[in-house]
Amino acid sequence: MTLTRSWSRLTPAGKIVVPLLAIVVALTVALLLGMVTGIVPAITGAVLDTLEANVGIVRFVVAILAVLLFTIPTAFIVGYLELKAIAFMNLRLGPNRVGPWGTLAAAFHGFKILAKEDFTPTGADVPVFTLAPAVVFLAPVLAFLVLPFAPGLFGQDMNIALLYFFAMGGLGVVGLMMAGWSSFNKYSLLGALRAAAQIISYEIPLTLSVVGLILLAGTLSLNQIVLNQQGSFLDWYVWQQPLGFAIFFIAATAEGNRTPFDLTEADSEIVAGFATEYSGMRFGFFYFAEYVNVFLLSALTVVLYFGGWLAPIDIGAVLHQVGLTFDPALDPGSLGLGLLLGILIVPPLAIVALALPFWAFRSGLPFWKALVVGFLLFNVIAAGATLLWAVASFEVVEGLLWFMAKTYVFVAILVWMRATLPRVRIDQLMGFAWKWLLPAALVNLFVTALALIVIDAVKG
Amino acid sequence: MTLPQTVPFLGWSWNDLLFLVLATALLGTALMVVLGRNIIRSGLWMIACFATLAGVYALLGTPLVAAAQVLVYIGAISVLILFAIMLTQTKGGPAALVFHHQAWAAAIAAVVLGTLLALVVTSTEWPLAGEYAATSVRAIAQLLFSDYVLPFEIVGVLLLAAVIGGVFLAKRDEPRDEPHGERPE
């Protein structure tokens, strides 16, 4: 009785999520039972063999899951960055209550959105209204699949990766239009129409600006484009395609509906555009999609024009020049019993050693508090040392670190632009795309092709 | 243990099964486009139809065509069609399609089209379905810019003419009485 009543109170989304949760719980219980009775260890070998035989399928599923999970921390980090960085630029404090320096604010925003009422307006086209946020979120997630994060760390290395990326990026506008139409609200519809006009207009200079780079690279594979830029930072495509880069970045900002081109959700004109009637987690999906999009566009800029995961200079060679040689080939196994001793003895000693100065020089600080400080410091140092060791030993970690650092520079630039630039008018927006960006992209393409022919003629 | 080469109990190859699923979805969504009464929903079903068609292209080993299908047909053409519908339709207006009352004309057109398709299908010599060979982007580019460069250019000129024609038709003959953007000097 109570069960039927609570079931009927669930939102449509809840009616999907609750059975899924039940399945997850049942699977966990089954797994635990299997572990206890010894069935799971017995069949592990056969399962592993099956997975190994179908490594292509396994890789695909794992890549999709990884990409989907990766979007969550990304959205939270970019969201927090935006809150805090804009606050600093506005001479405010920004989030400072939850977690150290308010770092958990974005995560708690997420929980708040989950707990809010999931409201559907009267007159809305319910199936379309429900599907729209999913479509908007799906587009950047699918585009993530071809992004090369580090050497060997990508979902799929397609030879049409760039085309696929733009195709998936263009899907988002369908979701925006679905949201705007199904809301049964004139502001939503206006936002959707603006989104469609803007994204279609800016897709043309965006795609054309990259064609010059494709002429230089001779490939559409993002992985290969990164590999082509090997060398120092002078080999990055941004120096050969400065105009292309400028057009690309401006058009990408417009594609991602970011200030100064965020007319689709201009709150001073059309409330919140396509998202006006959305609340709860459905709105949360729009929020998520926007931040994932910011990361995605920055990442694509880095991959195309700033060498992706490549380091700006070959650090190993520079260290070698200076005379420092760092041999990262430290094998933990070679230490033998000493390793065990080190793990047992070094941390307590280091904690006490780090705590002592605080206790000695800060009068009135109890020793246990000094110990806590020492423990935190030791953790930071140990994590830093491990990271340094990983960077030096594994190419993937180093590449990922460089890629993330470069990407977050561009995320920061996008946030900075949002804090500084005023919103443009709709006619300025369209005029700029068609009268300035498109001819500039064509000029870029023409000059690149001409330069290639001239260089070929001179060389050959 | 690898997956079986054919579908268990049926003996089909996996590609055939996948094609069957995609083709069913394709026909289903295509029927939804013409059978629905809500024109926006029809447009959305059309997008789903295009997406399944892209899946069929990918299955046939032409990822380039599949990506172009998504980029052009979903990302641009369908969105423009939806854009036009949203600009011109209101929810207060009639929900049913306007062409709904021309059943006789539609029936004649359908019969003629059906006969034509049947004639074409029966008279064409169909090559046997061979291997699902992947076509590389480079091969398509080579063909497009060597053997088929003239048709390619002609299509380009045709599209340009269409754009100019569209601009000419949409342009007003006289300037507006009160120009908002710039003031006449």
Side-chain angles (χ1 to χ4, degrees):
Chain A
M1 188 59 211
T2 3
L3 210 65
T4 16
R5 202 188 303 148
S6 6
W7 176 258
S8 62
R9 277 188 191 165
L10 284 174
T11 54
K15 279 177 182 157
I16 299 169
V17 169
V18 168
L20 281 179
L21 267 179
I23 290 172
V24 168
V25 168
L27 277 179
T28 319
V29 170
L31 194 68
L32 276 176
L33 276 178
M35 292 292 264
V36 171
T37 52
I39 296 173
V40 170
I43 60 168
T44 309
V47 170
L48 280 182
D49 280 349
T50 312
L51 291 184
E52 207 176 330
N54 304 296
V55 76
I57 299 173
V58 172
R59 188 195 161 97
F60 184 72
V61 171
V62 168
I64 292 261
L65 275 179
V67 158
L68 205 55
L69 289 178
F70 179 73
T71 53
I72 297 168
T74 305
F76 283 144
I77 292 171
V78 179
Y80 171 72
L81 196 71
E82 183 149 280
L83 289 173
K84 202 72 180 174
I86 291 185
F88 275 127
M89 287 173 199
N90 293 353
L91 296 181
R92 289 184 285 117
L93 282 177
N96 58 356
R97 294 285 139 176
V98 201
W101 302 289
T103 35
L104 292 178
F108 273 71
H109 272 304
F111 284 120
K112 180 189 75 180
I113 280 172
L114 269 179
K116 277 195 169 182
E117 187 191 355
D118 194 5
F119 184 74
T120 311
T122 322
D125 193 341
V126 179
V128 181
F129 187 79
T130 313
L131 267 178
V135 175
V136 172
F137 183 60
L138 199 67
V141 170
L142 281 176
F144 252 116
L145 206 60
V146 291
L147 208 63
F149 287 87
L153 197 63
F154 44 78
Q156 289 282 313
D157 184 21
M158 285 192 229
N159 59 356
I160 52 156
L162 199 54
L163 202 64
Y164 170 88
F165 193 96
F166 286 137
M168 291 304 138
L171 276 186
V173 65
V174 176
L176 296 186
M177 295 192 82
M178 284 165 75
W181 169 263
S182 61
S183 295
F184 197 30
N185 175 322
K186 54 174 162 291
Y187 296 119
S188 301
L189 188 59
L190 273 176
L193 292 180
R194 283 183 175 191
Q198 172 180 336
I199 292 181
I200 287 196
S201 304
Y202 276 85
E203 212 160 64
I204 296 164
L206 184 77
T207 319
L208 267 180
S209 66
V210 180
V211 177
L213 187 143
I214 296 170
L215 283 185
L216 287 177
T219 176
L220 283 168
S221 154
L222 291 176
N223 206 23
Q224 196 57 46
I225 287 177
V226 172
L227 288 176
N228 280 354
Q229 303 176 57
Q230 223 142 27
S232 73
F233 65 94
L234 291 173
D235 291 317
W236 293 350
Y237 278 134
V238 65
W239 307 118
Q240 296 168 43
Q241 291 280 310
L243 183 61
F245 164 66
I247 299 163
F248 177 83
F249 196 63
I250 293 170
T253 316
E255 279 277 300
N257 291 329
R258 293 286 299 180
T259 323
F261 304 114
D262 61 341
L263 287 148
T264 54
E265 41 190 349
D267 39 5
S268 55
E269 300 163 20
I270 50 171
V271 193
F274 56 86
T276 304
E277 293 288 0
Y278 279 87
S279 59
M281 200 50 216
R282 292 186 210 181
F283 179 72
F285 268 112
F286 286 127
Y287 216 67
F288 249 60
E290 181 180 345
Y291 288 135
V292 173
N293 239 328
V294 167
F295 180 87
L296 197 65
L297 294 170
S298 313
L300 187 65
T301 314
V302 165
V303 165
L304 291 180
Y305 292 99
F306 289 87
W309 70 72
L310 300 170
I313 41 170
D314 193 350
I315 293 173
V318 170
L319 284 180
H320 196 71
Q321 283 287 322
V322 178
L324 275 169
T325 42
F326 181 58
D327 186 17
L330 175 68
D331 184 13
S334 67
L335 293 173
L337 209 60
L339 179 73
L340 200 67
L341 214 65
I343 287 178
L344 276 180
I345 292 182
V346 169
L349 276 183
I351 289 171
V352 173
L354 284 168
L356 275 178
F358 283 96
W359 184 57
F361 294 112
R362 287 285 295 274
S363 53
L365 192 71
F367 187 64
W368 68 270
K369 272 192 179 171
L371 271 184
V372 169
V373 172
F375 179 69
L376 288 179
L377 265 179
F378 173 74
N379 272 316
V380 168
I381 291 170
T386 315
L387 196 67
L388 209 66
W389 175 74
V391 165
S393 315
F394 301 108
E395 215 183 3
V396 175
V397 180
E398 192 198 351
L400 191 63
L401 222 61
W402 277 117
F403 178 79
M404 286 294 169
K406 289 180 194 171
T407 303
Y408 273 102
V409 167
F410 280 96
V411 170
I413 290 177
L414 281 172
V415 171
W416 181 17
M417 278 162 68
R418 174 160 180 178
T420 344
L421 294 176
R423 188 177 291 136
V424 298
R425 236 169 38 215
I426 185 89
D427 57 320
Q428 293 170 334
L429 177 93
M430 302 304 279
F432 185 60
W434 291 102
K435 290 178 192 160
W436 292 100
L437 283 186
L438 185 59
L442 286 173
V443 165
N444 181 51
L445 173 60
F446 184 70
V447 169
T448 312
L450 200 70
L452 275 178
I453 290 173
V454 167
I455 289 171
D456 262 9
V458 169
K459 272 187 182 168
Chain B
M1 189 182 80
T2 51
L3 285 176
Q5 288 299 309
T6 53
V7 183
F9 309 120
L10 290 174
W12 304 339
S13 82
W14 288 101
N15 275 338
D16 289 354
L17 181 72
L18 210 55
F19 177 76
L20 216 61
V21 170
L22 280 173
T24 316
L26 186 67
L27 289 179
T29 46
L31 277 178
M32 290 304 286
V33 175
V34 287
L35 294 182
R37 291 290 170 85
N38 186 333
I39 192 163
I40 292 284
R41 290 255 187 108
S42 291
L44 293 175
W45 279 114
M46 190 172 71
I47 289 175
C49 181
F50 285 153
T52 17
L53 190 57
V56 173
Y57 285 144
L59 186 66
L60 291 176
T62 50
L64 181 70
V65 183
Q69 169 85 10
V70 174
L71 189 67
V72 175
Y73 279 90
I74 297 179
I77 292 180
S78 299
V79 170
L80 271 184
I81 289 176
L82 280 184
F83 186 80
I85 297 171
M86 286 182 186
L87 264 184
T88 49
Q89 280 249 328
T90 54
K91 274 226 166 170
L97 297 180
V98 203
F99 303 113
H100 191 58
H101 305 290
Q102 304 172 338
W104 278 109
I108 293 169
V111 167
V112 170
L113 187 68
T115 326
L116 200 67
L117 280 179
L119 281 177
V120 169
V121 166
T122 46
S123 63
T124 310
E125 190 118 346
W126 295 98
L128 281 175
E131 288 288 298
Y132 291 93
T135 321
S136 80
V137 183
R138 201 169 285 275
I140 292 176
Q142 291 284 359
L143 276 181
L144 200 59
F145 287 101
S146 59
D147 290 1
Y148 294 96
V149 70
L150 191 64
F152 180 75
E153 292 294 333
I154 288 175
V155 168
V157 171
L158 191 69
L159 285 177
L160 184 67
V163 169
I164 294 173
V167 171
F168 179 75
L169 286 179
K171 206 173 175 189
R172 289 161 199 268
D173 290 336
E174 303 149 25
R176 268 184 263 177
D177 295 338
E178 288 173 344
H180 289 289
E182 59 251 350
R183 196 161 292 191
E185 309 287 14

